[in-house]
Amino acid sequence: GGVKIKYNNEAQANLGIVLLADTTGEGQWETLQTFYTKAPNGSFSYRGLKPEEVRFATYLRDRWHNKSDTLITTIIPLFEETIPKTGYSALYLATDTYQPVESQYPIEKMWDNDIGSIFASKHDTQTPQWFTVDLGYTVLLSRMKEHQRHPNYTYTGSNVKSFEIWGTTSPDPDGSFNNWFKLGEFNSYKPSGLPMGQHTDEDINYAYNEGEDFEFDSDLFPDVKKEVRYIRFKTTATYGGGAQVTIAEIAFWGQIIK
């Protein structure tokens, strides 16, 4: 449903990465979005596009409005659709960590379409820990989004720093990883590249308001093309290094098979 820009910024300069599209096909370029970063490397995505051939362009801009050359390419964005959250439900397996630290922070808060509410596991849990979600549909997944906790806590504490996503159509009732296959390994990304405890408005907008995007890379994980219905979210590290995990919202995109 979109285009992705990858970059290297060895000098860690404050840059604007400008994305444009020839929306009419007649050379009338429209700015779609400008991404801001000083991180040494990373990627940005722009979503919500139709699977139609379009010319896209991008260039770099520094704080003094100096501009780089412009890269232009023609792309057909892949088709994807939102997997409706109305189908999501928790699957409570024996080895999962799903009990909330308090009753107002249950696992269902992660798909209530409210980034102001959170799931929070107990403080005496262990990392790594995981929970399981029934998506309600059999799907081929293309990407997911995860919103961190409220800006006062973003990129700190029990927010997820690294995690894995596993999938299956037939989870083993004993809670083991039998029948599961790995869809991806992911690290949280901070556009500014600032150390923990420091952040910019762009950081907060990315992690909390917009949510962090994570793509299921079929080059690294060929199994991604397999159909799944159940998702296992395995947290391998939090920003604060503690055992508790907090997540405001999750969402998935792909193609619904049935």
Side-chain angles (χ1 to χ4, degrees):
V3 295
K4 182 177 183 179
I5 301 171
K6 296 181 180 180
Y7 68 89
N8 290 309
N9 179 18
E10 294 181 2
Q12 298 186 44
N14 285 299
L15 295 175
I17 303 175
V18 184
L19 175 66
L20 309 97
D22 180 5
T23 55
T24 65
E26 299 177 357
Q28 297 180 10
W29 293 95
E30 174 186 343
T31 299
L32 298 180
Q33 190 166 348
T34 302
F35 305 99
Y36 298 94
T37 184
K38 63 175 295 185
N41 55 68
S43 64
F44 292 104
S45 297
Y46 183 86
R47 305 292 184 180
L49 300 171
K50 297 179 180 179
E52 300 172 353
E53 186 174 278
V54 177
R55 283 202 304 164
F56 294 94
T58 187
Y59 64 86
L60 304 180
R61 186 184 70 210
D62 69 13
R63 68 179 74 181
W64 299 279
H65 289 273
N66 297 306
K67 299 178 181 179
S68 71
D69 288 338
T70 302
L71 300 178
I72 300 175
T73 189
T74 299
I75 295 174
I76 301 176
L78 295 174
F79 170 77
E80 67 174 7
E81 57 189 318
T82 303
I83 311 304
K85 293 184 182 182
T86 52
Y88 293 15
S89 62
L91 182 64
Y92 304 112
L93 297 177
T95 62
D96 290 4
T97 300
Y98 53 81
Q99 292 182 338
V101 63
E102 295 179 15
S103 60
Q104 64 264 42
Y105 304 120
I107 192 170
E108 289 80 8
K109 290 293 184 181
M110 286 187 290
W111 51 86
D112 64 355
N113 292 309
D114 179 8
I115 60 174
S117 64
I118 64 168
F119 161 68
S121 65
K122 292 184 176 182
H123 293 289
D124 60 354
T125 55
Q126 296 181 346
T127 303
Q129 63 179 264
W130 50 87
F131 57 82
T132 306
V133 181
D134 179 355
L135 297 177
Y137 300 89
T138 301
V139 302
L140 291 174
L141 292 175
S142 57
R143 66 181 173 103
M144 67 166 291
K145 188 183 288 285
E146 186 251 339
H147 294 260
Q148 292 189 29
R149 191 180 179 186
H150 187 272
N152 291 345
Y153 302 93
T154 304
Y155 293 110
T156 63
S158 52
N159 280 301
V160 177
K161 186 176 183 180
S162 64
F163 65 98
E164 300 171 359
I165 295 293
W166 295 69
T168 187
T169 55
S170 56
D172 195 314
D174 67 3
S176 70
F177 277 81
N178 295 332
N179 303 331
W180 292 86
F181 55 90
K182 188 183 293 185
L183 291 169
E185 299 175 356
F186 305 101
N187 294 296
S188 174
Y189 172 70
K190 194 175 189 180
S192 70
L194 292 171
M196 190 166 68
Q198 301 178 41
H199 57 256
T200 65
D201 290 342
E202 287 77 19
D203 292 338
I204 299 301
N205 186 59
Y206 176 71
Y208 176 68
N209 295 317
E210 298 295 331
E212 296 190 73
D213 264 319
F214 302 98
E215 297 183 351
F216 299 111
D217 192 334
S218 59
D219 293 333
L220 295 176
F221 296 93
D223 284 340
V224 73
K225 294 187 180 299
K226 289 186 177 180
E227 298 178 358
V228 302
R229 171 162 175 162
Y230 303 92
I231 292 297
R232 185 165 258 183
F233 188 113
K234 180 180 179 180
T235 300
T236 53
T238 61
Y239 272 95
Q244 186 191 46
V245 169
T246 58
I247 298 174
E249 196 79 7
I250 57 174
F252 294 88
W253 283 261
Q255 300 178 32
I256 296 176
I257 307 301
K258 59 184 177 180

